[in-house]
Amino acid sequence: MKLLVTGGAGFIGSAVVRQAVRDGHEVVNVDALTYAACLDNLTPVSNSPRYTFEQADIRDRTALDRIFENQRPDAVMHLAAESHVDRSIDGPGTFVETNIVGTYNMLESARRYWTDAGRPAEFRFHHISTDEVFGSLPSDPSVLFTEHTPYDPRSPYSASKAASDHLVRAWGETYGLPVVLSNCSNNYGPYHFPEKLIPVIILNALAGKPLPVYGNGANIRDWLYVEDHAEALLLVVSKGQVGRSYNIGGANERTNLDIVKTICKILDAERPKTSGSYAEQITFVADRPGHDARYAIDSSRIRVELGWRPRISVEEGLRRTVRWYLENDQWWRPLLARTGVGERLGIKA
Ligand code: NAD
């Protein structure tokens, strides 16, 4: 299959591109290379004849029309987005432009290309979204997000993703574009941009800095290892039923504090301090406004219909992730310096 992947230089997109090329697909990666992108994420595939990179902004409709026309993909996997909740609180405008208007442009370019090609039934437009569109869950462990949970986004980020989900569904219903959607829980793993919780904790710990935990650390997330997610996405785009959405979760509910303590334990074993534990660096900081209490996913639909299940437990995934950051400072040091994130976190790049 020839896949047009947007956001392929980001965290999840690059995992999808690496896996798709490994699986024998042709991949065209369309990415504007914002602060969140890193082309080094693609080093394992960048010399493959099955991989092409097109630098373009999804807010630029003319560029998208040209790429569809020249590349003629069999399917689109649309991941390009502004993705960091804290940044959406500080500056929501870019989230509206990229996540909503950018998705509208992608849909219109795809629709034009698909219509000109005679509306092939096998074409797919796969929109990659988040469980944050469903809002926040109570602590009762029997209550999970299903594909039928009503939308209730609560941050500018989740509202922009909810809006883009609605556009994608509308283009399916109104124009017959063969769309499929997926909503996943929090991803983690190698190549995660160092402003998200898990890499921030690992890098702050190594730098001897405080390990910031929002509020009392009781917020619960369902952690999904990024390579498990990439595998699920490739199944959804190739075998998912048109018009359907699939919830994808790791079945790994943990509080933020549990995650931080587990990382400290792994670091204590892998890179022991001269005295004491990394856990002594844990510091509680003022909570994020509108911080959702709990996300947890019911993945039965993708498990039953497409035979997917997550392979990596959160303990194993965290061990792999910590080791990856310990062994790959040549990846994160330049990124911290180039994006100014190192200075913001007080970590020397
Ligand atoms: P990321 O921030 O790591 O990467 C986003 C990529 O999109 C970057 O390479 C960036 O350059 C590109 N991009 C941003 N704006 C663009 C634009 N205007 N034009 C073209 N490219 C642009 O994001 P991620 O964590 O890999 O997330 C990928 C997708 O998955 C997003 O749609 C996100 O909403 C969704 N998602 C992520 C998570 C998670 O835990 N990371 C969870 C659920 C859903």
Side-chain angles (χ1 to χ4, degrees):
M1 213 172 4
K2 183 164 183 177
L3 299 168
L4 189 160
V5 177
T6 69
F11 168 50
I12 302 173
S14 65
V16 169
V17 172
R18 291 189 302 271
Q19 187 149 332
V21 171
R22 250 195 330 261
D23 289 354
H25 297 293
E26 255 185 275
V27 176
V28 181
N29 172 18
V30 177
D31 199 299
L33 301 184
T34 69
Y35 80 94
C38 184
L39 283 176
D40 293 345
N41 298 5
L42 296 157
T43 307
V45 296
S46 55
N47 291 323
S48 165
R50 293 195 297 280
Y51 172 75
T52 311
F53 176 59
E54 295 263 12
Q55 183 168 0
D57 194 311
I58 58 167
R59 292 170 295 184
D60 179 351
R61 174 71 200 280
T62 313
L64 295 182
D65 283 347
R66 175 188 53 77
I67 292 169
F68 271 98
E69 198 45 46
N70 292 344
Q71 296 290 351
R72 315 200 63 75
D74 302 312
V76 171
M77 298 178 79
H78 176 39
L79 296 99
E82 289 291 337
S83 69
H84 191 41
V85 177
D86 289 345
R87 285 183 188 252
S88 83
I89 295 168
D90 295 342
T94 335
F95 285 71
V96 171
E97 286 166 20
T98 287
N99 299 1
I100 306 178
V101 181
T103 300
Y104 160 75
N105 284 333
M106 283 297 300
L107 286 164
E108 279 297 79
S109 276
R111 181 165 77 94
R112 177 177 154 164
Y113 159 72
W114 171 73
T115 304
D116 290 350
R119 299 166 61 95
E122 325 72 65
F123 181 76
R124 289 290 176 278
F125 186 102
H126 177 185
H127 185 231
I128 286 77
S129 190
T130 168
D131 61 355
E132 299 191 31
V133 299
F134 301 123
S136 186
L137 286 170
S139 54
D140 176 355
S142 68
V143 187
L144 303 170
F145 293 135
T146 73
E147 288 80 1
H148 302 292
T149 302
Y151 276 36
D152 182 23
R154 293 152 43 98
S155 73
Y157 163 67
S158 53
S160 69
K161 292 297 289 187
S164 57
D165 282 3
H166 292 323
L167 291 178
V168 173
R169 280 202 180 85
W171 261 241
E173 293 292 334
T174 307
Y175 304 111
L177 189 71
V179 301
V180 64
L181 296 93
S182 55
N183 297 81
C184 70
S185 56
N186 280 50
N187 282 224
Y188 70 102
Y191 302 101
H192 206 179
F193 190 79
E195 67 181 355
K196 304 279 175 103
L197 176 70
I198 289 174
V200 163
I201 296 301
I202 298 170
L203 300 186
N204 278 23
L206 294 174
K209 301 273 172 195
L211 309 182
V213 175
Y214 278 135
N216 60 5
N219 303 69
I220 293 175
R221 301 291 179 259
D222 175 1
W223 293 93
L224 174 62
Y225 193 62
V226 68
E227 289 172 14
D228 277 336
H229 186 207
E231 199 174 299
L233 294 179
L234 287 163
L235 268 177
V236 170
V237 75
S238 55
K239 301 208 170 74
Q241 202 175 307
V242 170
R244 237 157 151 58
S245 68
Y246 293 86
N247 280 1
I248 309 172
N252 279 310
E253 275 189 61
R254 298 287 187 281
T255 67
N256 286 347
L257 188 56
D258 280 343
I259 291 290
V260 174
K261 285 183 172 168
T262 308
I263 293 171
C264 290
K265 220 196 267 167
I266 296 168
L267 278 170
D268 285 339
E270 298 277 335
R271 182 73 56 96
K273 290 172 45 148
T274 38
S275 70
S277 162
Y278 289 97
E280 289 154 19
Q281 292 166 229
I282 293 174
T283 311
F284 295 95
V285 299
D287 210 351
R288 165 193 280 169
H291 201 179
D292 292 335
R294 175 171 168 255
Y295 305 142
I297 289 251
D298 176 352
S299 307
S300 340
R301 177 178 282 176
I302 188 171
R303 285 173 186 246
V304 172
E305 283 188 19
L306 306 183
W308 174 85
R309 50 188 29 73
R311 298 170 198 271
I312 310 290
S313 71
V314 76
E315 287 71 23
E316 173 58 20
L318 284 175
R319 207 172 359 262
R320 289 186 190 190
T321 306
V322 168
R323 284 187 185 147
W324 188 87
Y325 279 89
L326 288 174
E327 287 162 10
N328 288 281
D329 68 328
Q330 83 289 355
W331 179 85
W332 52 264
R333 283 189 195 281
L335 201 58
L336 287 182
R338 174 165 61 75
T339 58
V341 167
E343 203 177 322
R344 182 150 54 80
L345 298 177
I347 299 176
K348 237 172 101 205

